[in-house]
């Protein structure tokens, strides 16, 4: 197993950058990196072995997302402009039939 020292460059998953980035080792335990500093956003975090943290599912956000999904109806048909709908036709005044003597 490769030994690491303070200041070594190492790839790891950065939670802020949300991807594997270049890091500097800022803490070493038993020759293994314990804490790293992202060289892009300068945030410190524990060594993650390049593993992304499990996605956190917020039940409230999940509910909101489902609500949005419900409003998006792929079968919904958008009526082209200028087309008379039956409802619009019904509101037209009807020609009054005048009865003549
Ligand atoms: Zn970062």
């Amino acid at each position: 197993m490769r030994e690491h020292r303070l200041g070594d460059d190492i790839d790891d998953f950065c939670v802020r950058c949300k991807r594997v980035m270049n890091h500097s080792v800022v803490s070493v335990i038993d020759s293994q990196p314990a804490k790293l500093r992202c060289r892009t956003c300068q945030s410190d975090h524990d060594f993650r072995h390049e593993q992304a943290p499990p996605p956190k599912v917020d039940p409230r956000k999940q509910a909101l997302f489902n609500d949005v999904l419900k409003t998006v109806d792929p079968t919904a048909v958008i009526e082209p402009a200028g087309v008379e709908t039956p409802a619009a036709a019904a509101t037209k005044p009807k020609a009054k039939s005048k009865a003549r003597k």
Side-chain angles (χ1 to χ4, degrees):
M1 203 177 281
R2 190 185 141 202
E3 290 197 355
H4 292 274
R5 292 185 184 181
L6 290 180
D8 274 2
D9 289 346
I10 188 172
D11 283 346
D12 195 18
F13 185 88
C14 174
V15 284
R16 272 207 215 169
C17 301
K18 293 184 171 66
R19 56 177 295 184
V20 174
M21 302 297 286
N22 257 328
H23 287 71
S24 293
V25 178
V26 294
S27 174
V28 173
I29 295 175
D30 294 334
S31 299
Q32 287 305 301
K35 289 216 170 188
L36 308 174
R37 176 170 297 158
C38 175
R39 299 182 73 158
T40 302
C41 70
Q42 306 299 322
S43 68
D44 292 4
H45 58 80
D46 293 338
F47 182 42
R48 299 176 178 279
H49 302 268
E50 297 187 29
Q51 296 302 305
K56 289 178 187 172
V57 177
D58 186 335
R60 275 165 55 202
K61 280 185 182 172
Q62 189 67 43
L64 275 175
F65 183 67
N66 285 340
D67 280 350
V68 171
L69 275 185
K70 281 180 205 163
T71 61
V72 180
D73 186 1
T75 62
V77 177
I78 298 167
E79 291 186 27
V83 173
E84 209 171 62
T85 61
T91 57
K92 271 188 177 177
K94 286 178 183 173
K96 288 178 183 174
S97 55
K98 289 177 181 176
R100 291 197 178 196
K101 285 183 181 176

